[in-house]
Amino acid sequence: MSQTRYAGPIREAAVHPHALVEQGFATDEMLAAVLDRYPAELFDINLYDYDEAGQVSLRTGARGRLDGAELLAAIQQGRLWVNLREVETGWPELWAAAMAEFRAIARATPGLKAIRNAGQLILSSPRARVPYHFDAAGVVLFHMRGRKRVFVYPGDEAHLPEQSMELVVARQTTEELPYDLAFEADARVVDLEPGQALTWPIYAPHRVENLDRFCVSLSMDFQTWPTRFRNGALYTNAVARSRGGRPRPTDRMGPPELAARWAASLALKRMGALENRIAHLERDFEPAVDVPDGARALGA
Ligand SMILES: [Fe+2]
């Protein structure tokens, strides 16, 4: 059974070996040095809380003033999820090694042709959990330190409504999708150890729980021509819906129609058809050592 209704080369979640750990990329010394020099504007720092129905609320952090070793300690002691974007520019040595690993996985996956790759280095606290979401791209999650439990769900309309995808692709909302505890019956569960990389069907919803240890992973996303066309079509549909239209779902469109809607999306984006509503998130806290959750409130 394929887990997604969008044709893609990855039929189901699969684990691949990788050699990034033995190359020394995940040691405390290395990470502290990287945190010291990484550009502040490329940090996302999140703190997630969940209620009993599994519904998430998000607080966002500023980079703050801690040095690399202190920030690392705050993550290791706290309840933080820290994302360093654009690893391809922020840490070129790790990126080169990861791209070599990606090429090996792509060679082993017939039909997988990436046209653009980007990476996020994720440092997360021992009990951090990432909420249910999807990525508008293919993903390879290179796990490097700690243990993570990844839950992958079917990419059908019930688990991944196209209207929600439109809002994410058009940056009208963050990546969270509507979530129901009943989805858990449909999850494929994979426990990841350092040295393992996980792939899943393109667009498949997923969430992550750390298993009681500080975790380090490189999340590499990639676009293919089909994902670029579909994302463009979803954007065009989002614009049409914002103007009262009722566009056809993209899963009923063939390649020519998807390509035409992608082309339309380029013009719509140039015109600024939809305002980016998540560009200026208010920051709630900054990381701190020896305080609850590793977070000190800002602007209190
Ligand atoms: Fe993701």
Side-chain angles (χ1 to χ4, degrees), residues 147-182:
R147 295 176 63 219
K148 272 183 176 176
R149 181 163 293 164
V150 185
F151 302 74
V152 181
Y153 304 79
D156 55 19
E157 179 67 17
H159 298 82
L160 181 66
E162 276 220 352
Q163 286 200 39
S164 300
M165 297 176 76
E166 292 171 9
L167 294 174
V168 170
V169 167
R171 302 187 72 77
Q172 301 299 292
T173 177
T174 52
E175 288 165 77
E176 282 80 47
L177 292 166
Y179 171 75
D180 191 309
L181 281 176

Side-chain angles (χ1 to χ4, degrees), residues 43-75:
F43 276 75
D44 295 321
I45 306 182
N46 291 348
L47 215 170
Y48 297 108
D49 291 292
Y50 298 84
D51 67 16
E52 276 167 19
Q55 302 301 312
V56 68
S57 57
L58 163 70
R59 284 176 278 165
T60 58
R63 165 66 180 82
R65 291 149 292 176
L66 300 184
D67 70 23
E70 291 167 333
L71 180 51
L72 188 61
I75 302 166

Side-chain angles (χ1 to χ4, degrees), residues 72-116:
L72 188 61
I75 302 166
Q76 291 177 338
Q77 298 167 7
R79 211 159 52 77
L80 303 174
W81 182 87
V82 175
N83 184 33
L84 309 183
R85 297 193 309 277
E86 296 182 26
V87 171
E88 56 277 23
T89 52
W91 194 355
E93 298 83 5
L94 172 60
W95 185 247
M99 279 304 293
E101 300 288 349
F102 177 82
R103 283 189 286 272
I105 292 170
R107 275 195 299 275
T109 310
L112 176 53
K113 282 204 171 58
I115 53 176
R116 188 182 153 275

Side-chain angles (χ1 to χ4, degrees), residues 3 11 17 21 29 51-52 75 80 85 89 123 174 186 189 200-202 205 227 230-231 253 264 271 277 281 294:
Q3 286 199 311
R11 305 303 293 176
V21 180
E29 299 70 28
D51 67 16
E52 276 167 19
I75 302 166
L80 303 174
R85 297 193 309 277
T89 52
L123 312 184
T174 52
D186 311 315
V189 184
W200 52 79
I202 286 171
T227 64
R230 185 167 313 278
N231 293 345
M253 297 176 188
M271 288 160 43
R277 291 201 192 149
L281 276 180

